Amino acid sequence: MIKYVASDLDGTLLKNEAQTLNSEVFALIRKLKEKGIRFIAASGRQYDSLYRLFEPVKDDISYIAENGSLCIHDHKVISRGIIDRELGIRIIKATRQIPECHCMLSCESTAYTDSTDQKFLDYMHNFVKFKIKEVPDLLDIKEPFLKFAVFNFNGTDTMEPFFKEQFSSEITVVTSGNLWVDFIVPNANKGSGLASITRHLGISLKDGIAFGDQFNDIELLEAAGIGYAMKDCAPGVEKYADRQTESVESILRELL
């Protein structure tokens, strides 16, 4: 029996770089709730961004934010993953070795960047609409580090191999969409986040379905009872899923 639905956002529920959800999604979430099925948003995005994105049903769902580094239910933190500070400092310094890279540091209160590139800042503030604070130097941030995300308008092809070579033995380095490379505590991912939320809710992992399209969704797809990879997912992601679909909404309609 299906008791939860967990879904990635960008590339999964949000197609073609859309930054707002189809109104049908909210109607489907309400119907799921009526049938006792919990909806869980699972994303590399920050909690604040997700909470605003799901405005009409924001208090009816649970959240796996920051790729599993921050899991929240009923406004309470269920689990969090903290990056070792010395490692975080090395990551910040490494991002400065690649031209046109912009580093974003996620902490529990907000996200920070020391990028001065106006195109990137406009993208974050006005397109993605992240809660992000501009600071002179990320090395001066004293809050615990939840996640690093490195952005490049040219894509992840040049960044990913460089960062994996330097850091994959210490931290999870994974692409998140086509423009971001994320650094996440090894024991924090969307799958571990799903386990934390379902444990808190008293639901078995096998009693649910999950949707994703990128390599940061693999653990989510594997953890759920049934994992759906999107038909246009990153090549190879489908190997970790049970099924494929072109639309999350179509599967939810069938479920209902």
Side-chain angles (χ1 to χ4, degrees), residues 38-62:
R38 165 69 55 169
F39 184 86
I40 304 167
S43 175
R45 293 183 179 226
Q46 62 183 175
Y47 172 61
D48 180 78
S49 173
L50 292 174
Y51 193 69
R52 286 185 283 109
L53 191 65
F54 283 92
E55 173 68 30
V57 293
K58 62 186 180 183
D59 294 323
D60 297 324
I61 70 175
S62 302

Side-chain angles (χ1 to χ4, degrees), residues 3-15:
K3 296 182 179 179
Y4 73 83
V5 172
S7 181
D8 168 54
L9 273 294
D10 295 282
T12 302
L13 267 178
L14 292 171
K15 308 294 284 185

Side-chain angles (χ1 to χ4, degrees), residues 74-235:
D74 284 345
H75 304 287
K76 296 178 181 177
V77 176
I78 304 303
S79 66
R80 58 170 64 83
I82 304 298
I83 297 173
D84 175 78
R85 185 169 187 83
E86 185 275 332
L87 172 59
I89 288 171
R90 285 193 283 121
I91 291 171
I92 292 170
K93 291 180 177 178
T95 65
R96 295 171 178 175
Q97 296 178 40
I98 299 183
E100 300 183 61
C101 275
H102 309 285
C103 186
M104 182 176 73
L105 165 60
S106 293
C107 299
E108 200 162 325
S109 66
T110 192
Y112 299 92
T113 186
D114 55 8
S115 174
T116 57
D117 184 272
Q118 197 57 50
K119 182 180 178 183
F120 170 70
L121 295 174
D122 286 343
Y123 178 83
M124 297 306 297
H125 287 302
N126 303 318
F127 184 68
V128 183
K129 297 184 179 178
F130 260 44
K131 181 183 178 183
I132 186 168
K133 186 175 181 180
E134 297 164 41
V135 295
D137 192 340
L138 288 178
L139 296 174
D140 294 332
I141 301 300
K142 303 304 181 186
E143 291 180 62
F145 301 161
L146 286 179
K147 189 193 77 174
F148 287 96
V150 186
F151 180 92
N152 192 319
F153 282 108
N154 297 319
T156 62
D157 291 347
T158 56
M159 298 191 295
E160 185 188 13
F162 173 77
F163 291 131
K164 279 192 170 180
E165 182 180 353
Q166 291 203 46
F167 298 108
S168 60
S169 64
E170 300 176 87
I171 193 169
T172 300
V173 182
V174 64
T175 56
S176 181
N178 300 317
L179 303 176
W180 294 93
V181 172
D182 287 356
F183 298 79
I184 314 160
V185 176
N187 61 355
N189 55 62
K190 291 183 183 180
S192 66
L194 181 63
S196 295
I197 293 289
T198 53
R199 190 184 309 116
H200 181 78
L201 295 172
I203 299 173
S204 171
L205 277 171
K206 66 180 178 61
D207 291 333
I209 58 179
F211 301 86
D213 74 311
Q214 286 289 335
F215 284 95
N216 64 335
D217 298 315
I218 287 174
E219 292 88 354
L220 179 72
L221 297 174
E222 290 184 316
I226 302 173
Y228 283 88
M230 306 310 290
K231 281 283 179 65
D232 58 353
C233 67

